[in-house]
Amino acid sequence: MSSTKAFLSRSVILVAILAYLLRPINRPSFTVIEPLNPQDPINLPSGTSRRVLVAGGGLAGLSAALELAERGFQVSVWEASPVLGGRLATRTVQLCNQTFAIEHGFHAWFANYHVFADIRKRLGIDHYFRPWGAVQFIFKDPRYKPEALESQGPYPWNLISIVLRSPNLRFIDAILSTRHVVDLLWFDHKTVWGKYDEQSFSEWAQAMGIARVFYDVLYAPTLSVTVNERQNISAAEMLSMNHIYFLSHPRADRREVTRVDYETAIIQPWEVRLQALGVKIERGKRVGRLNFTETGVHVVEEEKEREEGVAGSDFDHVVLATNLQGVKSILDASSVSPPSFLSSPSPTSSASSFSYVTSTAALAQLLSLLEEESADWARRTGGSVIEFHLYTWEGGYDGGKGDKFAAGEKVRVLWEFLRPTVCGHLLPEMCAQNFTLVDGYVAHYEDFPSFKKGLHKYRPRSQTPHQLGLTRLSLAGDWLSTSFPSALMERAVATGREAANVVLQEEGIRQVPLPVTTSHGPGLRVLAS
């Protein structure tokens, strides 16, 4: 009898301890990096003129331009392509005898996109966004049923409920995979790179003994949309992404999508705001070289850099907000010793990505359920507009013909490749109705940042040129590193603000506060208290 009472007592104590450890934790979703110079004035003094060139009209460049222009700087934006927006660039094409806005690819705006949320509010464009619910996963492996992954409830019950709701995961799998939980829940942005950047995520998962079903259901889908080769992506990068998009806060996986195309929802209002601030935006204009002087930077346009006697333009500061290849090209041609990061292995992906408007696909989205233009076409015709993404594509699509395929033939060839996956797994109900493929568009991109293992130590930050003595130069872009967790679009706009802050501090103007995702995982309440 006494042994039974002792057992019950120990059980009650254990339950009490677990209840204490697992009680809901209220944590801030972000922290703010305050200005290094809070006593300096907010704007340039009246009568003071400072000219800044922002090379690149993507998200990073537009972010830097907005902060500088609002504080009285004379800003010029040179964008090499015909359209602004970078990874949100939108082009118009003729499909089905009407004009469609075709985007660079699908994007969602997550709860941890704090800088982007601030920009959206300032531009007054929040009405173009709406919530997007649980992510639907369909697996080729017949052992796995479809999943709808979504965080519900306070931490840590939001994590436990995922296992409870899942048709594939079991608690025994969770128990067998507990070793890796320490790296997730006690994530530390400052130390994760030294510990795990030299490992691939798959190597890390194997070393941690993660149950196969956990890896296949929870991690493999995320790997497939990083636009990186699954077998080589850095474990540190993936741990950071898991922190940003899921674990840092119970609402971290909340996301929104736009009701209309990205040009209408974001880029056009942004351009209007910049022009109202006096920003000069020039498309089809590319920086050729930079000549650094004691008083500023002499900039020569690429098309004119070989012409004798070309005057060029003088600026007080330059923000390079291009991709890595653009930065290398500009600095290689400029009057500077090559910075160390230019001779490092290239942190840029050589993989390709294709987007399709028609309809192995890593991501499929029904545009006719997301954006008004496609929804209108679907209502009028009874059809659907579908976009497929094939990331790190290596299969080719030209049948040995190079670029000799006509656009329509490319669509046909690629559709034949996609058909087994679409009809067998993604949209079998559509195929059962004997649909007709009436039109399509193919886009091919090769400029996504690479997050291959071992590259982080080569990745510069916004202020790296300044630290190397190029005090009038700063960088912005999603290929850089940051001192806080960031990724994708949020890294672009955050580094744009960081680049602007380099200029502001140099000129004695107060820096802009930077809201960022917390650098530490949630841990357990007893250790955090």
Side-chain angles (χ1 to χ4, degrees), residues 53 78 285-291 297-307 309-315 330 333-334:
L53 172 65
W78 290 7
K285 197 166 184 177
R286 188 190 303 268
V287 173
R289 70 174 185 268
L290 308 175
N291 295 324
V297 188
H298 185 72
V299 182
V300 179
E301 187 180 352
E302 184 182 62
E303 291 186 1
K304 299 177 180 178
E305 65 175 333
R306 293 183 178 87
E307 299 177 16
V310 174
S313 304
D314 291 313
F315 295 90
I330 293 167
S334 300

Side-chain angles (χ1 to χ4, degrees), residues 388-410:
F388 293 102
H389 292 230
L390 278 71
Y391 298 132
T392 60
W393 172 258
E394 295 178 348
Y397 62 89
D398 60 4
K401 294 186 178 181
D403 291 328
K404 295 180 181 179
F405 269 134
E409 195 174 357
K410 282 185 181 180

Side-chain angles (χ1 to χ4, degrees), residues 247-295:
L247 292 170
S248 60
H249 193 272
R251 294 187 296 277
D253 75 327
R254 296 292 191 271
R255 72 208 76 195
E256 294 177 301
V257 294
T258 58
R259 302 175 185 274
V260 294
D261 65 88
Y262 303 149
E263 173 72 18
T264 302
I266 303 164
I267 303 305
Q268 190 176 70
W270 207 332
E271 182 178 11
V272 168
R273 171 63 177 159
L274 291 177
Q275 290 175 332
L277 292 168
V279 176
K280 184 179 182 181
I281 299 173
E282 298 182 79
R283 295 169 172 82
K285 197 166 184 177
R286 188 190 303 268
V287 173
R289 70 174 185 268
L290 308 175
N291 295 324
F292 293 87
T293 69
E294 293 183 1
T295 58

Side-chain angles (χ1 to χ4, degrees), residues 306-423:
R306 293 183 178 87
E307 299 177 16
E308 294 184 6
V310 174
S313 304
D314 291 313
F315 295 90
D316 296 291
H317 299 274
V318 171
V319 175
L320 292 184
T322 72
N323 58 26
L324 176 60
Q325 293 96 325
V327 171
K328 282 189 171 185
S329 175
I330 293 167
L331 294 186
D332 281 344
S334 300
S335 59
V336 295
S337 300
S340 57
F341 64 83
L342 293 186
S343 58
S344 68
S346 174
T348 308
S349 176
S350 60
S352 303
S353 172
F354 293 90
S355 301
Y356 305 78
V357 177
T358 56
S359 153
T360 297
L363 172 67
Q365 59 168 348
L366 283 161
L367 284 177
S368 46
L369 296 181
L370 293 174
E371 296 186 359
E372 293 175 1
E373 179 183 67
S374 296
D376 177 68
W377 183 87
R379 283 191 296 267
R380 289 187 286 106
T381 64
S384 296
V385 181
I386 309 172
E387 181 172 286
F388 293 102
H389 292 230
L390 278 71
Y391 298 132
T392 60
W393 172 258
E394 295 178 348
Y397 62 89
D398 60 4
K401 294 186 178 181
D403 291 328
K404 295 180 181 179
F405 269 134
E409 195 174 357
K410 282 185 181 180
V411 171
R412 179 187 60 77
V413 170
L414 285 167
W415 170 244
E416 290 306 315
F417 173 83
L418 283 168
R419 182 188 289 273
T421 299
V422 175
C423 294

Side-chain angles (χ1 to χ4, degrees), residues 69-148:
E70 285 190 345
R71 284 152 185 81
F73 288 76
Q74 295 180 29
V75 180
S76 295
V77 176
W78 290 7
E79 167 55 44
S81 75
V83 293
L84 298 176
R87 308 215 190 281
L88 294 188
T90 305
R91 291 171 172 80
T92 56
V93 299
Q94 288 295 314
L95 296 172
C96 302
N97 299 315
Q98 76 170 66
T99 299
F100 276 86
I102 303 296
E103 295 147 342
H104 189 283
F106 173 73
H107 296 279
W109 281 258
F110 286 81
N112 272 331
Y113 284 9
H114 305 293
V115 176
F116 216 127
D118 174 60
I119 292 171
R120 281 171 46 180
K121 183 177 180 180
R122 288 154 62 188
L123 297 178
I125 58 176
D126 280 339
H127 61 284
Y128 284 123
F129 293 78
R130 65 177 178 83
W132 181 37
V135 181
Q136 307 293 325
F137 292 106
I138 299 173
F139 303 91
K140 277 190 173 182
D141 191 325
R143 293 176 297 174
Y144 303 139
K145 298 177 182 179
E147 283 272 3

